[in-house]
Amino acid sequence: MATRKKPINKNTLIFLGIGAAAVGTYLFAGDAIKKLLKGDTAPQPAIEPETKLISKPAGTAQPKPKETKEVDTSGDLYDIREKLKPGSKGSAVGRLQLIINEIANIRGDQGFTANSGQKIKFPLDQDRDFGSQRYIGALYAFQSYKENGFITLYNARLRWCYIKGYYNRTFPSSLANTINLDDYQAAYKSGQIDKAKNEG
């Protein structure tokens, strides 16, 4: 006599299906499940404190920690982050004089009178000495000089690039191989964007 098999109950099939799914999930994702249930006991890397960024006037980019020394075409070494102020001398001051003259040329200015009544005429002499003419020229060209009492060649270049972008002039080719080219290009683009906003 043949025996007939008893049919499997639906509840039993559902229970077996859930069990098989649980085992399969554990096999494929067991480590993640263990971490979730136990918590991650591995030491976490220390989180560095957030650096507070100081907002800059329009046309200046946030400085990045990079190399600060460059070599002049004459072979002189200068620091682009050196604080230039009355009494400073050298290649960096000579470059600053060129930038002040270029800014005045772009703006179409022939001279400038400071609040103290002192006057200068552009172009400035190229004597590589931060004297009274450079002081007035720095007041004319750089807001950061008015605020801080010094200007760095790095910030002067940022302002120069911003103004060239604003007045739709070509990017300064003399900065093409400098160590902060990305910063200078960003300032140039910022000037172009601000000009478009002001015209629109």
Side-chain angles (χ1 to χ4, degrees):
M1 209 164 137
T3 58
R4 189 175 164 167
K5 290 187 177 179
K6 199 175 186 183
I8 299 177
N9 187 347
K10 283 184 180 180
N11 289 337
T12 305
L13 287 176
I14 292 173
F15 179 72
L16 288 174
I18 291 173
V23 169
T25 303
Y26 182 77
L27 290 176
F28 288 112
D31 293 334
I33 293 171
K34 287 177 187 175
K35 282 183 183 178
L36 181 66
L37 295 176
K38 290 183 181 180
D40 193 7
T41 58
Q44 297 293 324
I47 298 173
E48 293 183 22
E50 186 176 325
T51 304
K52 183 177 181 183
L53 296 176
I54 301 170
S55 62
K56 299 281 184 180
T60 60
Q62 294 291 340
K64 297 176 184 173
K66 293 185 179 180
E67 293 293 323
T68 63
K69 304 280 185 191
E70 289 186 359
V71 178
D72 198 342
T73 54
S74 65
D76 292 341
L77 184 68
Y78 60 92
D79 185 351
I80 62 171
R81 303 227 192 239
E82 176 186 356
K83 296 177 180 179
L84 303 175
K85 52 190 170 193
S88 299
K89 297 178 190 276
S91 293
V93 175
R95 298 237 177 217
L96 180 67
Q97 292 167 337
L98 290 170
I99 291 172
I100 292 170
N101 287 339
E102 179 71 16
I103 289 172
N105 183 39
I106 291 169
R107 290 179 174 168
D109 293 333
Q110 302 298 315
F112 174 72
T113 304
N115 291 341
S116 63
Q118 294 175 296
K119 296 180 181 182
I120 58 169
K121 291 188 178 184
F122 297 112
L124 300 175
D125 296 331
Q126 300 299 303
D127 60 3
R128 298 165 55 133
D129 182 11
F130 200 123
S132 63
Q133 277 195 333
R134 257 54 71 211
Y135 168 75
I136 305 298
L139 287 175
Y140 159 78
F142 312 111
Q143 179 67 32
S144 64
Y145 185 82
K146 295 173 191 173
E147 295 168 357
N148 302 323
F150 66 87
I151 184 71
T152 63
L153 188 56
Y154 172 78
N155 285 332
R157 287 175 172 178
L158 289 174
R159 184 69 181 152
W160 178 36
C161 291
Y162 174 85
I163 289 171
K164 286 199 98 157
Y166 189 88
Y167 285 91
N168 201 24
R169 303 289 175 93
T170 58
F171 183 81
S173 60
S174 61
L175 300 180
N177 293 319
T178 58
I179 55 180
N180 294 296
L181 178 61
D182 293 341
D183 297 347
Y184 303 143
Q185 289 175 331
Y188 181 80
K189 289 176 186 172
S190 179
Q192 291 176 319
I193 290 168
D194 286 351
K195 177 68 170 188
K197 286 180 186 175
N198 290 340
E199 288 180 346

